[in-house]
mmCIF file of all heavy atoms in Angstrom:
data_model
loop_
_atom_site.group_PDB
_atom_site.id
_atom_site.type_symbol
_atom_site.label_atom_id
_atom_site.label_comp_id
_atom_site.label_asym_id
_atom_site.label_seq_id
_atom_site.Cartn_x
_atom_site.Cartn_y
_atom_site.Cartn_z
ATOM 1 N N LEU A 248 -5.612 13.677 -13.145
ATOM 2 C CA LEU A 248 -6.653 13.226 -12.226
ATOM 3 C C LEU A 248 -6.316 13.472 -10.759
ATOM 4 O O LEU A 248 -6.513 12.601 -9.896
ATOM 5 C CB LEU A 248 -6.965 11.752 -12.414
ATOM 6 C CG LEU A 248 -7.629 11.338 -13.728
ATOM 7 C CD1 LEU A 248 -7.682 9.846 -13.839
ATOM 8 C CD2 LEU A 248 -8.990 11.940 -13.844
ATOM 9 N N ASN A 249 -5.806 14.650 -10.424
ATOM 10 C CA ASN A 249 -5.435 14.863 -9.021
ATOM 11 C C ASN A 249 -6.637 14.856 -8.090
ATOM 12 O O ASN A 249 -6.461 14.563 -6.921
ATOM 13 C CB ASN A 249 -4.622 16.133 -8.788
ATOM 14 C CG ASN A 249 -4.618 17.136 -9.862
ATOM 15 O OD1 ASN A 249 -5.331 17.048 -10.796
ATOM 16 N ND2 ASN A 249 -3.743 18.087 -9.721
ATOM 17 N N ILE A 250 -7.831 15.174 -8.565
ATOM 18 C CA ILE A 250 -8.972 15.175 -7.694
ATOM 19 C C ILE A 250 -9.349 13.765 -7.233
ATOM 20 O O ILE A 250 -9.922 13.574 -6.185
ATOM 21 C CB ILE A 250 -10.174 15.900 -8.381
ATOM 22 C CG1 ILE A 250 -11.185 16.253 -7.339
ATOM 23 C CG2 ILE A 250 -10.758 15.023 -9.471
ATOM 24 C CD1 ILE A 250 -12.180 17.277 -7.795
ATOM 25 N N VAL A 251 -8.946 12.769 -7.994
ATOM 26 C CA VAL A 251 -9.210 11.379 -7.650
ATOM 27 C C VAL A 251 -7.986 10.705 -6.988
ATOM 28 O O VAL A 251 -8.096 10.111 -5.949
ATOM 29 C CB VAL A 251 -9.623 10.542 -8.900
ATOM 30 C CG1 VAL A 251 -9.783 9.097 -8.554
ATOM 31 C CG2 VAL A 251 -10.904 11.121 -9.465
ATOM 32 N N LEU A 252 -6.844 10.874 -7.631
ATOM 33 C CA LEU A 252 -5.631 10.190 -7.180
ATOM 34 C C LEU A 252 -5.047 10.746 -5.904
ATOM 35 O O LEU A 252 -4.431 10.004 -5.098
ATOM 36 C CB LEU A 252 -4.556 10.159 -8.271
ATOM 37 C CG LEU A 252 -4.964 9.433 -9.576
ATOM 38 C CD1 LEU A 252 -3.814 9.482 -10.571
ATOM 39 C CD2 LEU A 252 -5.325 7.997 -9.256
ATOM 40 N N GLY A 253 -5.226 12.058 -5.686
ATOM 41 C CA GLY A 253 -4.754 12.654 -4.423
ATOM 42 C C GLY A 253 -5.348 12.042 -3.184
ATOM 43 O O GLY A 253 -4.636 11.539 -2.298
ATOM 44 N N PRO A 254 -6.703 12.042 -3.086
ATOM 45 C CA PRO A 254 -7.306 11.431 -1.885
ATOM 46 C C PRO A 254 -7.040 9.929 -1.771
ATOM 47 O O PRO A 254 -6.864 9.418 -0.642
ATOM 48 C CB PRO A 254 -8.795 11.683 -2.109
ATOM 49 C CG PRO A 254 -8.841 12.920 -2.953
ATOM 50 C CD PRO A 254 -7.677 12.809 -3.862
ATOM 51 N N VAL A 255 -6.989 9.236 -2.884
ATOM 52 C CA VAL A 255 -6.682 7.782 -2.841
ATOM 53 C C VAL A 255 -5.282 7.586 -2.293
ATOM 54 O O VAL A 255 -5.051 6.683 -1.455
ATOM 55 C CB VAL A 255 -6.834 7.136 -4.221
ATOM 56 C CG1 VAL A 255 -6.316 5.734 -4.238
ATOM 57 C CG2 VAL A 255 -8.292 7.184 -4.661
ATOM 58 N N ALA A 256 -4.324 8.373 -2.717
ATOM 59 C CA ALA A 256 -2.921 8.277 -2.212
ATOM 60 C C ALA A 256 -2.881 8.555 -0.702
ATOM 61 O O ALA A 256 -2.208 7.916 0.050
ATOM 62 C CB ALA A 256 -2.048 9.217 -2.961
ATOM 63 N N ILE A 257 -3.682 9.564 -0.266
ATOM 64 C CA ILE A 257 -3.712 9.881 1.157
ATOM 65 C C ILE A 257 -4.288 8.737 1.993
ATOM 66 O O ILE A 257 -3.733 8.372 3.030
ATOM 67 C CB ILE A 257 -4.526 11.199 1.396
ATOM 68 C CG1 ILE A 257 -3.769 12.369 0.809
ATOM 69 C CG2 ILE A 257 -4.792 11.408 2.864
ATOM 70 C CD1 ILE A 257 -4.557 13.655 0.737
ATOM 71 N N VAL A 258 -5.351 8.145 1.510
ATOM 72 C CA VAL A 258 -5.980 7.033 2.217
ATOM 73 C C VAL A 258 -5.057 5.820 2.258
ATOM 74 O O VAL A 258 -4.892 5.180 3.316
ATOM 75 C CB VAL A 258 -7.356 6.664 1.581
ATOM 76 C CG1 VAL A 258 -7.889 5.354 2.107
ATOM 77 C CG2 VAL A 258 -8.351 7.774 1.810
ATOM 78 N N LEU A 259 -4.441 5.485 1.157
ATOM 79 C CA LEU A 259 -3.542 4.326 1.114
ATOM 80 C C LEU A 259 -2.327 4.549 2.010
ATOM 81 O O LEU A 259 -1.896 3.607 2.710
ATOM 82 C CB LEU A 259 -3.086 4.014 -0.301
ATOM 83 C CG LEU A 259 -4.126 3.363 -1.210
ATOM 84 C CD1 LEU A 259 -3.562 3.213 -2.631
ATOM 85 C CD2 LEU A 259 -4.556 2.036 -0.683
ATOM 86 N N ALA A 260 -1.774 5.725 2.012
ATOM 87 C CA ALA A 260 -0.619 6.016 2.859
ATOM 88 C C ALA A 260 -1.017 5.971 4.332
ATOM 89 O O ALA A 260 -0.262 5.417 5.134
ATOM 90 C CB ALA A 260 -0.060 7.388 2.529
#
Side-chain angles (χ1 to χ4, degrees):
L248 292 173
N249 16 9
I250 198 163
V251 174
L252 296 180
V255 171
I257 292 170
V258 168
L259 285 176

